[in-house]
C-alpha cells in the first residue's frame, strides 16, 4: 500500500503497462465526457424543437379559426355591404341548355 502511495508503480521496471492502462482509462473518460455532452446538447435541441412545434401548432389552430370566421356568410355580408352588394331576394334559377345537334 505504501508503494502505491509513493507512486513506485509508475517508475518501476514494468511501469510501461501501468502507464498504458492509465492512458487507456483517461481516453475512455474523455470519450465518456464527450458522449454525455453530445447527448445533453441533443436533448436541449429536441426540447427547443418541441417548443417550436407547439408554438407553430397553436398558430395553425388560431389561423384556422380565423379562416372559419372569415368564411362565414354573416362575415362576408358585412364586408361586402359597403360595396353595395347584398344577397339576392329570390333564389337562383336553373338554366337548361339543350344541344341542338342531338335533336337532329
Amino acid at each position: 500500500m505504501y508503494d502505491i502511495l509513493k507512486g513506485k508503480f509508475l517508475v518501476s521496471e514494468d511501469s510501461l503497462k501501468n502507464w498504458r492502462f492509465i492512458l487507456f482509462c483517461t481516453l475512455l473518460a474523455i470519450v465518456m465526457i464527450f458522449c454525455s455532452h453530445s447527448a445533453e446538447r441533443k436533448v436541449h435541441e429536441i426540447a427547443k424543437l418541441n417548443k417550436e412545434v407547439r408554438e407553430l401548432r397553436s398558430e395553425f389552430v388560431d389561423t384556422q379559426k380565423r379562416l372559419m370566421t372569415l368564411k362565414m356568410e354573416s362575415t362576408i355580408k358585412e364586408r361586402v355591404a359597403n360595396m353595395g352588394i347584398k344577397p339576392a331576394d329570390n333564389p337562383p334559377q336553373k338554366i337548361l341548355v339543350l344541344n341542338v345537334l342531338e335533336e337532329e
Side-chain angles (χ1 to χ4, degrees):
M1 188 68 159
Y2 185 67
D3 289 339
I4 292 175
L5 292 175
K6 285 180 80 175
K8 284 190 177 182
F9 69 97
L10 296 176
V11 291
S12 64
E13 294 174 5
D14 59 347
S15 66
L16 184 61
K17 64 179 181 178
N18 293 336
W19 279 106
R20 285 183 189 161
F21 182 72
I22 291 172
L23 289 175
F24 178 71
C25 289
T26 305
L27 179 67
L28 285 179
I30 290 172
V31 168
M32 186 181 75
I33 291 170
F34 173 76
C35 289
S36 68
H37 281 293
S38 176
E40 189 173 330
R41 190 174 335 130
K42 288 178 184 178
V43 166
H44 285 294
E45 185 177 343
I46 288 170
K48 183 179 119 185
L49 290 174
N50 281 335
K51 182 180 177 185
E52 186 177 344
V53 165
R54 284 193 302 269
E55 289 174 359
L56 290 173
R57 188 174 292 135
S58 173
E59 183 180 339
F60 170 73
V61 169
D62 184 49
T63 304
Q64 206 172 27
K65 178 183 166 189
R66 286 188 298 151
L67 174 65
M68 294 303 281
T69 305
L70 289 173
K71 286 172 53 176
M72 291 173 43
E73 184 179 353
S74 59
T75 307
I76 294 172
K77 282 182 188 179
E78 290 174 8
R79 289 187 148 219
V80 296
N82 60 359
M83 293 185 242
I85 301 173
K86 61 180 183 173
D89 293 332
N90 26 342
Q93 297 178 358
K94 189 174 185 179
I95 300 174
L96 295 176
V97 177
L98 299 175
N99 194 348
V100 180
L101 297 175
E102 287 181 7
E103 293 179 7
E104 292 179 4

